[in-house]
């Protein structure tokens, strides 16, 4: 039985970081409570052209306003906004995907909130400089996944306390199982590159089971528990894939590395990619080290053949 909380896991961190994570934990609970109340859609579109649900807008406003007001952050950037917001005199910069997978709401499938936290960094920032990252998964139970320098801690919102004290954990860092058993790859199959097709065939032959629900946090969580491979790949008509480097690929890439896995763009580690702009997209391949490296070899081999042409 878990006897510790996310607050305990953060005991050795600065008080201000503990406060920030606790605030985020509280806000995640407010978002969950709001979901059944707001199932309609607005007419708005975000800067990427996705249709926003009311909850995207609402969650974004809730998170950004509370963070700016907290006195803990100097900048907040979100997938739902064109530009970062400036906070007052805080030491952290926060990147957010307020409601990842929001198209799953109407079918009552998985959604979540992704957060990356930097110390003294200007946004957009390099994933390697993340101080910690986390996601809250709104499923049959609410899970908080937190990666710090110490590792990845899985927790469940089942305690009586508030903020991060509500999230119960064993306190043992979680590692990806050595042998992966599931995989998921986004995008239309007919738009996959030959390397992605080839790799999916290999995974099937090795009996990894396909798990894909169209929610990054939900699908990724299966790989974090069971080991395997998850990707939103480069597509023939979208070479940079779909995920935003700042708001999705970096925070989840950081969690993957801290759990002993790898996060790659196909050519290099996601976390080492120099950001060019806040809305940048990047092909994203995550999971067990052996699998991600094997896929990278396929991509690098193909690009060498093109160069040698
Ligand atoms: O944030 C984008 C997102 O909603 C992810 O949560 C999810 O992995 C992806 O889009 C699903 O995309 P598609 O509908 O193309 O499979
Ligand atoms: Mn998302």
């Amino acid at each position: 039985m878990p006897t510790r909380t996310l607050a305990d896991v953060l005991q050795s961190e600065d008080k201000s970081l503990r406060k920030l994570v606790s605030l985020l934990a509280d806000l995640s609970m407010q978002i969950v409570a709001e979901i059944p109340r707001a199932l309609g859609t607005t007419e708005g579109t975000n800067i990427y052209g996705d249709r926003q649900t009311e909850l995207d807008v609402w969650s974004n406003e809730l998170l950004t306003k509370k963070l700016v007001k907290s006195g803990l952050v100097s900048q907040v950037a979100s997938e739902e906004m064109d530009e970062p917001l400036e906070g007052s005199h805080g030491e952290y910069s926060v990147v957010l995907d307020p409601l990842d997978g929001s198209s799953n709401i109407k079918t009552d499938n998985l959604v979540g909130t992704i957060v990356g936290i930097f110390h003294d960094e200007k946004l957009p920032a390099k994933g390697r400089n993340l101080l910690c990252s986390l996601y809250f998964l709104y499923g049959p139970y609410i899970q908080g996944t937190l990666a710090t320098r110490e590792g990845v801690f899985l927790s469940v919102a089942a305690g009586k306390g508030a903020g991060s004290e509500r999230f119960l954990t064993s306190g043992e860092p979680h590692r990806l199982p050595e042998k992966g058993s599931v995989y998921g790859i986004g995008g239309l199959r007919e738009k996959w590159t030959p390397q992605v097709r080839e790799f999916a065939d290999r995974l099937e032959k090795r009996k990894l089971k396909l798990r894909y629900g169209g929610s990054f946090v939900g699908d990724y969580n299966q790989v974090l528990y069971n080991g395997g491979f998850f990707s939103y790949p480069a597509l023939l008509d979208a070479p940079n894939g779909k995920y935003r480097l700042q708001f999705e690929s970096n925070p989840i890439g950081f969690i993957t590395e801290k759990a002993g896995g790898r996060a790659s763009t196909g050519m290099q580690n996601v976390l080492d990619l120099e950001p060019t702009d806040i809305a940048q997209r990047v092909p994203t391949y995550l999971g067990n080290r052996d699998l991600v490296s094997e896929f990278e070899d396929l991509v690098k081999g193909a690009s060498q053949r093109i160069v040698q042409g």
Side-chain angles (χ1 to χ4, degrees), residues 35-52:
I35 291 176
R37 289 189 220 136
L39 298 173
T41 57
T42 62
E43 294 305 315
T45 55
N46 69 13
I47 54 172
Y48 309 97
D50 297 340
R51 197 173 164 82
Q52 288 181 327

Side-chain angles (χ1 to χ4, degrees), residues 89-308:
H89 57 259
E91 52 191 306
Y92 300 103
S93 310
V94 177
V95 285
L96 293 169
D97 183 349
L99 207 55
D100 173 65
S102 54
S103 61
N104 281 310
I105 288 170
K106 66 170 184 291
T107 57
D108 197 14
N109 280 286
L110 293 173
V111 293
T113 298
I114 306 174
V115 186
I117 302 176
F118 297 91
H119 189 249
D120 276 344
E121 286 280 328
K122 210 79 198 121
L123 300 176
K126 205 162 155 175
R128 190 60 68 202
N129 299 338
L130 277 162
L131 175 63
C132 66
S133 74
L134 52 156
Y135 63 85
F136 296 98
L137 181 60
Y138 310 133
Y141 58 89
I142 299 158
Q143 183 194 308
T145 301
L146 169 71
T148 68
R149 281 168 300 220
E150 316 291 326
V152 176
F153 300 93
L154 305 174
S155 65
V156 180
K160 292 199 170 66
S164 46
E165 285 183 357
R166 193 183 181 111
F167 284 77
L168 305 183
T169 174
S170 69
E172 290 302 316
H174 172 82
R175 306 283 294 175
L176 284 165
E178 236 162 73
K179 194 172 159 18
S181 59
V182 298
Y183 80 98
I185 303 175
L188 268 182
R189 263 173 186 259
E190 63 172 30
K191 302 289 182 198
W192 285 0
T193 62
Q195 295 73 43
V196 173
R197 280 165 193 255
E198 159 71 22
F199 197 61
D201 285 348
R202 289 188 193 178
L203 296 176
E204 284 285 331
K205 283 192 190 112
R206 289 177 210 163
K207 312 283 182 221
L208 274 81
K209 284 188 178 162
L210 171 63
R211 290 283 183 270
Y212 192 78
S215 145
F216 188 13
V217 275
D219 293 329
Y220 173 78
N221 208 47
Q222 302 228 20
V223 170
L224 186 63
Y225 273 83
N226 300 313
F229 181 81
F230 182 76
S231 165
Y232 205 105
L235 300 175
L236 295 176
D237 58 351
N240 293 325
K242 184 175 191 187
Y243 291 161
R244 288 56 142 173
L245 175 65
Q246 294 294 304
F247 312 116
E248 297 174 303
S249 307
N250 272 341
I252 305 286
F254 185 80
I255 290 171
T256 310
E257 281 202 8
K258 292 293 172 195
R262 282 200 62 203
S264 171
T265 65
M267 293 303 283
Q268 67 172 111
N269 284 355
V270 166
L271 302 183
D272 293 322
L273 195 65
E274 284 296 340
T276 51
D277 73 282
I278 199 91
Q280 176 181 4
R281 294 175 195 263
V282 66
T284 303
Y285 308 92
L286 305 161
N288 284 69
R289 298 185 71 81
D290 56 340
L291 295 177
V292 175
S293 298
E294 182 184 338
F295 176 73
E296 227 178 35
D297 289 345
L298 273 177
V299 174
K300 286 180 180 169
S303 75
Q304 240 162 19
R305 283 195 294 280
I306 291 171
V307 172
Q308 284 160 1

